Amino acid sequence: MAAPEFEIPKFKEHLEVPKIQEGSMAHIKSFISPQPTQEFLGYPWELGEDWKERTLFKMGDLLGKYRSLRVFMDACVHCGACTDKCHYYLGSADPKNMPVARQELMRKVYRRYFTLPGKIAPWLVGAEDLTKETLADWYSYYHQCSECRRCSVYCPYGIDTAEVTMAGREILNYVGMGQKYSNEILGKVQKIGNNLGLPGPALEDTLAGLEEDIEADTGVPVKMPLDVKGAEILLVTPSADFFSEPHVESLIGYAKVFHAAGVSWTLSSHASEAGNFGLFNGNYETMRKVAMRIRDAALELGVKRIIVGECGHAWRVAYSFWNTLTGLGFDGKDPFSIELQQQLDHRYPQPMHICEYTWDLIQNNAIKLDPSANDDKVITYHDSCNVARGSRMGDEAGGQFTIPRNIIQAVANNFHDMAAETIGEGTFCCGGGGGLLTDDLIEVRVKGAYPRMNALNNVVQEEKVNFMATICAICKAQFTKVLPYYGFDRSMVGGVHQLVSAAIKLD
Amino acid sequence: MTSLTVFYIGLFYVATLILVAGLAYRIYEYSRTPAPLKIPTTPAPTTNAGVAYRMAREVVLFESLFKSNKWIWLFGWLFHVGLALVLFRHVRYFQEPLWFVVEFVQPFGKYASFAMVAGLAGLWARRFLVDRVRYISTPSDHLILALLIAIGLSGMMMSFVAHTDIVSLKAFMLGLMTFDFQPLPTDTVLLVHLTLVALLMIIFPISKLLHAPGIFFSPTRNQADNPREHRHIAPWAAALDRDNG
C-alpha cells in the first residue's frame, strides 16, 4: 500500500460530527466514461452545444416519471436532520456531502427552471442558473454518494438522496458525462454476462478448479454445476464470488449447503452476475435489460426456484425490483409475468436470499453444523446498506437483520454486535457502494469507510473481535482494500457463508 | 364599507383561492406522477394497514425526526402541535354556534401559542448556531420563520395584551363566508396579523411548506414492503414489457 496523499480520520470512542470544511472534497473526479462505452449504452461522450437544453429536458422527463424525485424536490425544509448522517460527510467534513446539500445541487437548478419563486427571485429561495460548473459539481458529488439510503431513515419526509443521485447520474449520462467504472461494467455484463467480463469457458474452468479444491479439502465431491437444464434451483451470485478473495469462500459455502441439502442446482453462464449496476445509474431500462438476463436464464433452464448469493445491491434489485422489471415474483396478471411465474414453485418466496435458504435448513435441522470450527474467530456483523434499508428477508419486517445474525450464531460461538446506532437500519455503508468501488475514488472510499471502521475498532478493542462478516460483494472488496488504511488486517472481512462453509458437516 | 374592508375582503378571497387551488394542483401533480419502483425505506410495514400506521406515526409524532435529532424534534414538534391547537381554536371565528370541541380547546389553543413561538425560535436559533444548518439555510428559510413568528406574536398581542374588537372580527369573517360583508376592525395589530396570514396562504403552494402534502406522497414512507408477493408496475414501465417482451 502506497502512502495515502490524504489524511485518514482518527478513531474516537464516540463518533464526532466534524465542523464543515467547504470544498475539502471538491477535487474528487472519477474518470469520465470514454466514447465506445458511452456509445454502447446509447449516451453521448462529451457535452454538445445543446448541453443546457438536454440537461433541463432530462430533468423534466425524470420529474414526470418518478414521484420520488418530484416530491423530494419540493418537500425538503432544510431542517438539518440529515446533515450528520452521511458517512462521506462524517469522514470528509465537506458540507456538500451532507445529504441535504447533495440534493440541493439539483434542487437549486430545479427551483430556477421549474418553480415560480425561483424564476422570479432566485436569490431569495436558493435557486441558481445551470452552468457547466454546476454539472462539474454534480459529477463530483453524485459520485461521492453510495446510494446507501441512511439519510432516508432519518428524514422526516423520507427523502432518499439515492433517488436524487440516481437522477443526477442519469442526467449526466444523457449529456455525455458518464462514469467510466460503472458504465464499463454495464457494457461487460450485457456483452459477456457478468461484471468482471469472465466468459463462459473461463467460468467453467474456475468452477471445475473449485470442485477439486473442495474435494481435496473435505474428501467430499461437492459439485458446482453450470447451465444444467431442469435443475430445481438457479443460483445467481455476484461474479466476484467466482474468483475474488474472500468472496469465493462464500461460494464454496453455498455449494456445500446445496450439497448437504441434497438438491439439484445450477449456475448460469448467461446470468453469471447478480449485481445490477443499472441501479447505480438510475436508468430503468438499463436496469431492466441487465435483470432480463436472469429471467431469460430461468426460462431457458426451466428452474423452479431462484436463489441469490451474498450481494447487497443485487439483493435490493432482486427482492424489490425483479418482480416489477422481469415478472420474477408472484401475482403477475399479464402474459409477460405469467409465463415465468407459472414455472416457479409457489411454496417458496421468489427470489429467495441464500441466507433465507440456509436459515430454513438450519431451523429444520436439515444440515449438520459444528460451531466450534469457527472458535478461532470473534465475529461481528456488518449490515450491508442496500440489504438493510432496501430489502427484506423472511416473513417479517427486519428479517434482513435477524436471519444473517441467527445463521452466524448457529455456525459460530463468539459473536458481538457493533454499537446499536451503527447497525440495523442505521448501519453505515462500507464506503464503496453505488458505483464508487474504483481506485480513482480511493480517497472517497477510505474517508467514507471511517464511521464503520470506528465502530469496528471499538469492538476490536473491547471484545477482541477479529472477523467482520457481511453479505455483500462490494462490502467485501471495499473492506479488503480499506481495512489496511486503518491498521487492520485485510483478511478480517469475509462472508456469512464463509463461516457456514467452515462449520457445515458433509457426508 | 371602507376601502380598507374592501381590500381585506379581496385579499382573503385571493389568498384562499391560491391556497386551495394551488394545493389541489400540487396534490394532483404528485398523485399523477407514477412511482415505478418499490422503494420503501426498510424495515417497512408489509401491509397497507401497517403503512397507514407508519404514516400516522410520522405525521403525528415525527418518528423519523425523533430518531434523527432530539433538538430539531423538540422544536419542530412544539411548533407544529402548538400551531395545530392555535388553528383549531381559530375555528371559533368561522362558525356560529360553536362545536363543543372548539369551545373546549379555547384555553389550550390560547396558551399553545407560547409553545408554537418557542418552537419556532428554537428552529431559527439552530440556523445561526449550528454550522451545518447555517450552511444550508437560504434567505427564504429565515423569512418563513420570521413570518410565522410574526403571525404568532401579533396573535398573542391580541390575546394577551391589546384585545381587538373580536365580535366585529367574527362578523367580518362570517360575512366573508356568507357573502354578507361586514366592516373590519382597524387596529394595526389585527391588520398586521391578517396580512401576514394571507401572505402565508399565498406562498404555501409555491414554497417548502409543500412538505405538508408531500409526506403523504413520499414513496419511501407510503409504500408497503411486499414486492415479491405483488407485481408493482407503472404504466410507462409496463409498455416496455409489451415492446421488448
Side-chain angles (χ1 to χ4, degrees):
Chain A
M1 187 182 85
E5 293 161 358
F6 49 88
E7 202 180 331
I8 295 165
K10 302 281 180 293
F11 287 143
K12 301 274 165 59
E13 194 180 338
H14 298 287
L15 200 63
E16 286 170 17
V17 179
K19 290 275 170 213
I20 62 171
Q21 293 171 27
E22 284 190 49
S24 67
M25 296 293 273
H27 58 284
I28 298 292
K29 191 181 177 191
S30 191
F31 295 149
I32 290 268
S33 174
Q35 179 175 351
T37 311
Q38 290 296 95
E39 270 182 328
F40 177 77
L41 294 172
Y43 293 123
W45 53 93
E46 56 193 2
L47 293 188
E49 280 181 11
D50 58 346
W51 62 272
K52 199 166 178 176
E53 291 73 28
R54 279 181 79 84
T55 304
L56 295 174
F57 167 79
K58 196 64 194 167
M59 198 164 162
D61 180 46
L62 295 176
L63 284 165
K65 279 183 171 171
Y66 289 89
R67 184 183 290 167
S68 50
L69 188 67
R70 182 72 194 81
V71 171
F72 295 165
M73 284 294 108
D74 280 344
C76 178
V77 300
H78 295 172
C79 73
C82 63
T83 55
D84 57 353
K85 300 300 185 281
C86 176
H87 49 290
Y88 294 113
Y89 175 71
L90 293 171
S92 76
D94 188 319
K96 285 182 183 167
N97 276 331
M98 301 188 300
V100 50
R102 199 185 310 284
Q103 298 158 20
E104 211 65 12
L105 295 174
M106 182 172 296
R107 207 175 270 124
K108 64 190 184 187
V109 177
Y110 165 75
R111 288 202 197 95
R112 183 74 181 92
Y113 298 93
F114 295 87
T115 74
L116 187 64
K119 285 175 187 167
I120 303 170
W123 52 273
L124 181 69
V125 293
E128 274 178 33
D129 285 346
L130 173 63
T131 64
K132 287 190 180 175
E133 287 70 44
T134 316
L135 290 184
D137 244 13
W138 285 16
Y139 191 83
S140 181
Y141 289 99
Y142 289 135
H143 292 102
Q144 298 186 48
C145 167
S146 58
E147 305 175 349
C148 84
R149 315 188 88 204
R150 190 168 194 265
C151 47
S152 85
V153 170
Y154 298 102
C155 174
Y157 319 113
I159 297 174
D160 180 5
T161 311
E163 295 289 309
V164 180
T165 292
M166 288 170 193
R169 292 184 188 175
E170 165 72 347
I171 296 169
L172 286 167
N173 263 319
Y174 188 75
V175 298
M177 293 173 73
Q179 188 215 21
K180 182 169 180 271
Y181 170 69
S182 292
N183 287 4
E184 283 185 348
I185 281 178
L186 279 167
K188 276 187 270 188
V189 71
Q190 292 184 72
K191 287 180 205 158
I192 301 166
N194 55 64
N195 292 350
L196 294 176
L198 193 67
L203 182 57
E204 211 174 322
D205 280 354
T206 306
L207 296 175
L210 288 173
E211 286 176 349
E212 284 170 26
D213 292 349
I214 302 174
E215 188 157 357
D217 192 33
T218 64
V220 181
V222 172
K223 295 297 167 201
M224 294 210 178
L226 182 66
D227 295 328
V228 176
K229 280 200 181 186
E232 187 188 346
I233 293 170
L234 169 64
L235 175 74
V236 184
T237 203
S239 56
D241 283 4
F242 298 126
F243 73 105
S244 294
E245 279 289 346
H247 307 63
V248 71
E249 304 296 336
S250 283
L251 175 65
I252 292 170
Y254 321 146
K256 287 182 180 174
V257 168
F258 290 132
H259 179 90
V263 291
S264 69
W265 68 287
T266 186
L267 291 154
S268 157
S269 54
H270 182 73
S272 47
E273 180 61 62
N276 190 330
F277 273 45
L279 173 73
F280 304 159
N281 278 10
N283 184 291
Y284 187 98
E285 289 182 47
T286 306
M287 186 160 68
R288 183 176 183 275
K289 276 187 203 156
V290 174
M292 282 296 282
R293 298 183 73 88
I294 289 123
R295 174 191 162 97
D296 294 343
L299 287 169
E300 165 76 15
L301 298 171
V303 294
K304 302 269 180 268
R305 304 175 64 177
I306 290 142
I307 293 184
V308 180
E310 296 181 356
C311 189
H313 305 76
W315 180 240
R316 181 178 183 200
V317 174
Y319 172 86
S320 292
F321 304 158
W322 272 2
N323 198 359
T324 298
L325 296 170
T326 70
L328 204 169
F330 292 126
D331 195 37
K333 307 278 195 286
D334 50 304
F336 173 80
S337 47
I338 289 169
E339 184 190 3
L340 175 62
Q341 294 182 5
Q342 65 187 4
Q343 177 188 315
L344 301 175
D345 188 336
H346 287 229
R347 291 173 299 169
Y348 305 101
Q350 306 282 4
M352 197 174 195
H353 195 279
I354 187 70
C355 285
E356 292 179 300
Y357 182 76
T358 300
W359 178 236
D360 276 358
L361 293 174
I362 293 173
Q363 282 181 301
N364 296 326
N365 293 315
I367 52 176
K368 286 182 225 136
L369 300 164
D370 173 17
S372 70
N374 284 310
D375 275 354
D376 57 324
K377 295 188 175 70
V378 183
I379 301 163
T380 194
Y381 179 69
H382 163 75
D383 287 288
S384 298
C385 56
N386 274 249
V387 175
R389 294 182 283 260
S391 80
R392 173 161 57 100
M393 289 179 204
D395 299 328
E396 312 224 332
Q400 67 270 39
F401 309 132
T402 52
I403 288 176
R405 285 178 174 77
N406 289 345
I407 295 176
I408 294 171
Q409 291 177 58
V411 301
N413 291 317
N414 310 311
F415 177 77
H416 296 281
D417 257 325
M418 288 178 277
E421 68 277 11
T422 73
I423 58 170
E425 70 173 358
T427 190
F428 282 110
C429 163
C430 64
L436 308 191
L437 192 72
T438 168
D439 283 348
D440 42 306
L441 289 173
I442 192 68
E443 182 178 350
V444 181
R445 289 167 56 188
V446 170
K447 290 181 174 174
Y450 168 65
R452 170 49 74 226
M453 291 293 104
N454 196 63
L456 174 65
N457 183 58
N458 286 338
V459 286
V460 167
Q461 301 302 326
E462 289 157 25
E463 310 287 353
K464 307 278 177 274
V465 162
N466 60 14
F467 189 82
M468 179 164 65
T470 187
I471 51 170
C472 173
I474 286 179
C475 293
K476 291 171 193 170
Q478 156 76 353
F479 286 135
T480 304
K481 181 92 178 185
V482 304
L483 277 166
Y485 284 86
Y486 289 94
F488 295 116
D489 190 305
R490 66 176 67 231
S491 64
M492 253 183 96
V493 66
V496 167
H497 279 77
Q498 178 174 343
L499 301 171
V500 174
S501 176
I504 195 166
K505 291 164 81 175
L506 302 173
D507 303 317
Chain B
M1 191 122 340
T2 65
S3 54
L4 188 83
T5 297
V6 173
F7 172 78
Y8 276 90
I9 290 171
L11 180 63
F12 270 88
Y13 280 132
V14 169
T16 307
L17 185 72
I18 290 177
L19 177 71
V20 173
L23 271 184
Y25 179 69
R26 286 287 180 235
I27 288 169
Y28 165 74
E29 247 187 341
Y30 295 160
S31 61
R32 183 194 62 173
T33 310
L37 293 164
K38 279 278 195 174
I39 58 165
T41 307
T42 59
T46 55
T47 61
N48 289 335
V51 166
Y53 182 51
R54 179 188 205 176
M55 187 62 81
R57 295 198 311 270
E58 288 294 355
V59 172
V60 179
L61 302 175
F62 302 1
E63 183 180 48
S64 294
L65 189 57
F66 186 79
K67 279 183 206 165
S68 173
N69 185 306
K70 300 294 185 279
W71 284 112
I72 308 178
W73 178 84
L74 178 70
F75 295 137
W77 199 76
L78 272 179
F79 157 54
H80 282 87
V81 169
L83 176 65
L85 284 168
V86 166
L87 278 177
F88 198 55
R89 183 182 105 85
H90 279 67
V91 172
R92 75 174 296 168
Y93 306 124
F94 299 89
Q95 64 177 195
E96 185 62 48
L98 298 189
W99 295 334
F100 169 73
V101 278
V102 175
E103 270 187 88
F104 175 78
V105 85
Q106 290 305 312
F108 301 102
K110 209 167 157 181
Y111 290 98
S113 58
F114 288 95
M116 173 182 152
V117 172
L120 286 165
L123 290 173
W124 206 358
R126 287 184 56 82
R127 296 213 179 274
F128 294 102
L129 299 177
V130 182
D131 65 336
R132 304 186 308 280
V133 185
R134 193 164 60 228
Y135 177 85
I136 56 171
S137 296
T138 61
S140 54
D141 292 331
H142 290 283
L143 287 174
I144 285 181
L145 283 165
L147 176 64
L148 286 163
I149 287 179
I151 290 172
L153 290 178
S154 57
M156 288 163 79
M157 280 287 285
M158 288 182 284
S159 277
F160 300 108
V161 183
H163 294 286
T164 187
D165 180 353
I166 201 69
V167 176
S168 301
L169 175 66
K170 180 162 179 172
F172 172 79
M173 285 299 172
L174 289 171
L176 280 181
M177 292 164 68
T178 54
F179 304 102
D180 172 20
F181 302 120
Q182 302 297 321
L184 181 68
T186 57
D187 46 315
T188 315
V189 185
L190 174 69
L191 296 183
V192 167
H193 188 69
L194 292 182
T195 308
L196 297 179
V197 169
L199 182 60
L200 184 71
M201 291 163 74
I202 289 168
I203 64 167
F204 204 107
I206 54 168
S207 69
K208 67 177 186 176
L209 302 175
L210 286 170
H211 68 279
I215 183 168
F216 294 99
F217 291 94
S218 178
T220 61
R221 293 291 182 272
N222 76 3
Q223 289 184 339
D225 175 22
N226 58 3
R228 289 193 288 200
E229 294 80 9
H230 297 287
R231 186 157 197 246
H232 168 94
I233 191 150
W236 65 261
L240 298 173
D241 290 352
R242 290 192 298 273
D243 299 345
N244 312 337

